[in-house]
């Protein structure tokens, strides 16, 4: 196969798959496949509910580049490069759940032909592609890896809501099951990327590189969250400390906060579980996960502490939570830790309002898109949406009401405490 022969199908049209498919459609015949028929229908009407791909760009891909989305296996049998971009979640016990990956591998197995390539982009622990996914493709298709078809792994680096580090501008890691496949896959990605690729020596190296990207951030944020707890107990503003420390040339400045989303709060568990199978106890990563998972409860209790200090009754208080998504200026609510704040506060009062103008309230009925009327006894800013930066929260929370700023973006004279 050469670049001129390539016909791509991206399996999974979420935050990762859709931007990738639209990008590839500018260079190659490209199909998008998703088992969610409603998602497919909405995309073919030119709208992406995740807001990762602007409607005009999606419509241009459909109109000018022939991009199509489907839920039919028959529609994608003519493709010869299948790229799997499905979620890799954890279960209620934080154990990796490979169900979406196995299902996608079965889909590929039903349509793949001799001479084709399958590439995985989903974040996994080292070994999943070759030990879990590709055997499924072989079983369902009856084909043999590296004899009848080849494989690769190129980890996604999508950052939801980030309009600067987009799929076309980031540098991608690539790999292949044979040297020839690795070269072709690398060339294919290079042909649509502005900043090129890094070709890893093996699929396992590429898998490992991705999972430590998010694990490293998780550990760094946990350290800063621990510092916030220490300095809050000492009545020292953590942000002031970080600003001062950042004056040193090699200090890595990060801010404390809630760690949600589908990457940083999930991916470390994949490496944590796999490392234990090799007899290695990953203490640093495990402790980081526990600490970051505790921050929602911590924020709620710090708000209650401030209310007590100002003589504001906590029982049956009216409390406003500003923000529900896991990060600013995007509609992604996956693994949001705001729910932990909410549930802790519910032990003291049922009168809690969550306001977030970015959220789909049909899927999240506990959230409102409409700015509620005050007065409130306390407000917690949990997400740094641009809309909140311009909001005069004190009009909603008159004195002696408490304003707690998790993100450190409100005027300091306005708030009672910051994380």
């Amino acid at each position: 196969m050469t670049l001129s022969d390539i016909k791509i199908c991206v399996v999974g049209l979420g935050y990762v798959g859709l931007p990738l498919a639209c990008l590839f459609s500018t260079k190659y015949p490209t199909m998008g496949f998703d088992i969610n028929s409603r998602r497919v229908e909405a995309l073919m009407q030119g709208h992406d509910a995740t807001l990762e791909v602007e409607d005009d760009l999606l419509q241009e891909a459909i109109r000018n580049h022939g991009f199509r989305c489907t839920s039919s296996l028959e529609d994608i049998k003519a493709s010869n490069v299948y790229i799997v971009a499905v979620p890799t979640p954890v279960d209620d016990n934080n154990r990796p759940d490979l169900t979406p990956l196995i299902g996608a591998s079965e889909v590929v197995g039903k349509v793949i032909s001799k001479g084709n390539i399958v590439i995985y982009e989903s974040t996994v622990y080292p070994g999943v592609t070759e030990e879990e996914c590709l055997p499924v493709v072989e079983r369902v298709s009856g084909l043999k890896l590296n004899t009848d078809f080849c494989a690769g792994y190129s980890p996604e680096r999508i950052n939801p809501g980030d309009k600067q580090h987009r799929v076309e501008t980031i540098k991608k890691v690539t790999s292949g099951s044979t040297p020839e496949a690795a070269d072709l896959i690398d060339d294919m990605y290079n042909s649509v990327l502005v900043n090129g690729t890094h070709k890893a020596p093996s699929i396992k190296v590429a898998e490992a590189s991705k999972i430590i990207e998010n694990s490293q951030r998780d550990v760094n944020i946990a350290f800063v969250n621990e510092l916030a707890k220490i300095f809050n107990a000492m009545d020292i503003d953590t942000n002031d400390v970080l600003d001062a420390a950042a004056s040193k040339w090699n200090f890595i400045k990060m801010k404390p906060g809630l760690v949600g989303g589908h990457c940083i709060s999930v991916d470390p568990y994949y490496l944590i579980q796999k490392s234990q199978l090799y007899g290695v106890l990953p203490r640093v990563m495990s402790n980081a996960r526990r600490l970051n998972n505790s921050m929602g409860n911590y924020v709620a209790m710090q708000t209650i502490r401030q209310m007590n200090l100002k003589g504001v009754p906590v029982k049956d208080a009216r409390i406003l939570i500003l923000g529900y998504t896991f990060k600013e200026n995007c509609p992604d609510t996956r693994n949001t830790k705001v729910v932990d704040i909410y549930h802790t506060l519910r032990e003291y009062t049922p009168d809690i309002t969550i306001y977030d103008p970015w959220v789909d309230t049909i899927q999240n009925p506990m959230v409102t898109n409409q700015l509620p009327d005050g007065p409130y006894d306390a407000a917690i800013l949990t997400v740094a949406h641009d809309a909140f930066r311009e909001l005069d929260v004190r009009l909603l929370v008159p004195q002696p009401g408490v304003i707690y700023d998790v993100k450190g973006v409100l005027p300091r004279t306005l708030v009672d405490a910051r994380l």
Side-chain angles (χ1 to χ4, degrees), residues 9-12 33-36 71 73 76 82-89 97-112 118 120 122 124 128 132-141 270:
C9 172
V10 177
V11 179
F33 177 88
D34 201 291
I35 59 174
N36 186 339
S71 293
L73 292 179
I76 63 175
Y82 296 92
I83 303 176
V84 176
V86 296
T88 46
D97 179 6
L98 299 179
T99 303
L101 264 181
I102 299 303
S105 298
E106 290 175 344
V107 167
V108 173
K110 293 175 182 177
V111 296
I112 196 170
V118 55
Y120 289 85
S122 306
V124 293
V128 167
E132 303 288 345
C133 298
L134 293 176
V136 173
V137 177
E138 290 181 312
R139 172 177 56 81
V140 175
S141 68
Y270 277 71

Side-chain angles (χ1 to χ4, degrees), residues 203-346:
I203 288 176
K204 285 185 178 180
V205 168
E207 291 170 323
S209 73
K210 169 58 183 176
I211 205 161
I212 70 167
E213 292 173 14
N214 291 331
S215 297
Q216 181 187 66
R217 284 184 57 78
D218 195 40
V219 169
N220 287 342
I221 295 172
F223 172 63
V224 179
N225 277 336
E226 189 166 61
L227 292 179
K229 290 184 175 183
I230 294 170
F231 295 138
N232 287 344
M234 300 172 69
D235 198 26
I236 300 173
D237 189 292
T238 304
N239 286 279
D240 286 345
V241 175
L242 295 173
D243 288 342
S247 64
K248 189 183 180 190
W249 63 91
N250 61 351
F251 182 81
I252 302 173
K253 185 178 180 181
M254 303 190 76
K255 286 193 172 185
L258 305 173
V259 182
H262 194 68
C263 293
I264 300 177
S265 67
V266 173
D267 296 345
Y269 290 119
Y270 277 71
L271 190 54
I272 287 170
Q273 185 199 57
K274 189 65 173 180
S275 64
Q276 291 174 336
L277 296 177
Y278 284 85
V280 179
L281 184 62
R283 299 182 188 276
V284 173
M285 287 192 297
S286 298
N287 288 338
R289 280 282 73 238
R290 281 192 289 270
L291 196 150
N292 284 339
N293 275 342
S294 73
M295 293 307 292
N297 178 73
Y298 176 79
V299 167
M301 297 309 298
Q302 285 295 298
T303 303
I304 291 171
R305 176 176 178 270
Q306 290 296 322
M307 294 172 71
N308 286 330
L309 289 174
K310 296 186 72 173
V312 179
V314 176
K315 188 176 184 304
D316 297 328
R318 293 196 74 208
I319 299 179
L320 173 64
I321 297 177
L322 295 169
Y324 187 72
T325 62
F326 90 90
K327 65 178 296 186
E328 65 275 6
N329 302 325
C330 83
D332 195 345
T333 62
R334 292 175 296 176
N335 300 316
T336 174
K337 296 306 176 185
V338 177
V339 294
D340 296 339
I341 299 175
Y342 174 82
H343 288 308
T344 299
L345 294 175
R346 282 280 296 180

Side-chain angles (χ1 to χ4, degrees), residues 4-5 19 63 164 256 261 289 312 318 387 411:
S4 61
D5 301 320
R63 183 176 59 252
Q164 179 181 358
R289 280 282 73 238
V312 179
R318 293 196 74 208

